Amino acid sequence: MESHSMMAIQAALQGQVAFCKFLSANDTGKTGGHQAGIYISKASSPILFNEPGNKGQNKEKWVKIKWQNDFETDTRFIYYGQGTRNEYRITNFGSGFPFLHTDYTGALFVFVKNTEDDYQGFILNTDEEINKFLDAFGLSPTETNKLIETTRPDPEIHEKLAIEQFIDGLSVEFPTSEEMSVAARSIHNQVYNHQELIRSNPDKQLLDWTATEFRLFRALEYVRYDKMFTNGFSSVDAFINAANQVLNRRKSRAGKSLEHHLSAIFDGNNVQYKAQAITEGNKKPDFIFPSQEAYHDLTFPTEEIVSLAAKTTCKDRWRQVINEADRLRDHNKYLCTLQRGISAKQMDEMQAEKVILVVPKPYIPSFPEDRRDRIWTIGRFVQYIKKLENR
């Protein structure tokens, strides 16, 4: 279920005006007394009234407030201007209203104006919820009791909101690896709007998508497993079984994630390829360009056929690439990896076997300096394929 803090953040971002303050004892402890209701500072009164109150007369307005995205109250805004009073309050919450008692003193009250008579209210009563909200808008606890500048949030908070919404909408414990990758790309593109990088900078796009998927997966793990590990296990075997389940799912997702995002890069550049093509026997390179049919058509020029393996790490497994396509045994074979750094000796062995590393450009400095010129970037590989296919 989506947390109240994330609901409040989303409401504040989407509303016309937003306000927050810590509830004082005066706000929560005196129900029905002379000062009943939540006090709103004069500087923040525009969230209540379009015009300030005039000293010497009271002013009021009735609105609907939806609390915690759950229930509504018909509530009054009032300006007390008569006598010695000169203050704004929110009053009349109805019988059974749960938040105006001493247990909620010190809670963070978040108030959002959607329209002239439609509002949302949230009460955040744990340190985690409070800090999550304040951090989203770059506020310290001393910067509350005022209107919120909602243009300040870092894009990361939009990403967190999108991730929570995705997880909240799931009907399965864990989606497939492909569904996770699609969701990560959708979230990243929605938040950062950098789809043009598929063509202009595929190296960065690949890394950004991969990082977003990692955060998405870890957020889902937290939701699914946090209580299990926090509450403990009945035996060591139960703990080991649960831990193995988590680790195996991580390994499986990581291995497929790179393939899925590379496919999206190739699709975005309109190149032809076949993922998991069958070459000889049961051999299946991760990618064959331009197609499986071209590979098996002996009249198709061998120099225009390319194989690409995708391995998150390849320190020990790179030799598998050598025998994945017999037709290309004497030609260059390409290996895309997210591993940072491989020894000079292994790079020399790769060169002897005609294996060319394809690595995101920011990772290249982690390889031996005198051998970096052998490494291709994602962008260079994509342009090479496009040129072969006349794209």
Side-chain angles (χ1 to χ4, degrees), residues 18-31:
F19 165 88
C20 72
K21 65 168 284 186
F22 288 100
L23 294 177
S24 68
N26 182 267
D27 294 315
T28 62
K30 298 183 179 180
T31 56

Side-chain angles (χ1 to χ4, degrees), residues 288-301 305 327:
I288 285 286
F289 304 84
S291 66
Q292 179 174 298
E293 291 74 19
Y295 181 87
H296 290 290
D297 180 0
L298 297 182
T299 67
F300 193 91
I305 298 173
R327 187 174 176 182

Side-chain angles (χ1 to χ4, degrees), residues 128-256:
E128 181 181 0
E129 295 260 276
I130 291 169
N131 289 330
K132 187 182 291 186
F133 184 88
L134 295 178
D135 289 347
F137 296 99
L139 298 172
S140 74
T142 61
E143 295 177 296
T144 58
N145 200 18
K146 66 179 185 179
L147 300 180
I148 300 169
E149 186 182 340
T150 56
T151 58
R152 291 171 64 180
D154 190 279
E156 287 183 8
I157 195 59
H158 292 278
E159 181 184 286
K160 289 179 182 177
L161 280 168
I163 286 174
E164 282 215 13
Q165 289 171 347
F166 172 76
I167 294 174
D168 196 45
L170 288 176
S171 59
V172 296
E173 185 179 29
F174 274 88
T176 66
S177 62
E178 185 171 7
E179 289 169 336
M180 287 288 285
S181 296
V182 169
R185 291 195 296 273
S186 176
I187 289 169
H188 183 85
N189 293 341
Q190 168 193 333
V191 172
Y192 299 97
N193 194 26
H194 287 159
Q195 290 92 321
E196 77 284 352
L197 294 181
I198 294 176
R199 289 176 174 268
S200 64
N201 193 346
D203 294 74
K204 176 173 171 52
Q205 188 72 294
L206 178 68
L207 291 177
D208 287 347
W209 284 342
T210 302
T212 299
E213 183 173 351
F214 178 82
R215 292 189 290 269
L216 172 61
F217 187 78
R218 285 301 172 87
L220 181 55
E221 277 191 328
Y222 180 82
V223 171
R224 296 293 188 256
Y225 294 137
D226 181 59
K227 286 185 179 178
M228 179 195 304
F229 283 92
T230 300
N231 293 338
F233 297 87
S234 59
S235 67
V236 173
D237 285 344
F239 169 76
I240 291 173
N241 289 336
N244 284 338
Q245 181 183 1
V246 172
L247 293 173
N248 288 336
R249 183 174 275 118
R250 285 183 180 182
K251 290 177 184 177
S252 175
R253 181 208 62 83
K256 291 293 183 182

Side-chain angles (χ1 to χ4, degrees), residues 304-330:
E304 294 181 19
I305 298 173
V306 174
S307 70
L308 175 72
K311 297 185 183 299
T312 308
T313 60
C314 65
K315 186 174 182 179
D316 300 316
R317 297 184 300 148
W318 68 267
R319 290 180 178 83
Q320 298 171 5
V321 176
I322 300 170
N323 298 313
E324 288 183 338
D326 291 351
R327 187 174 176 182
L328 303 177
R329 188 178 298 276
D330 297 325

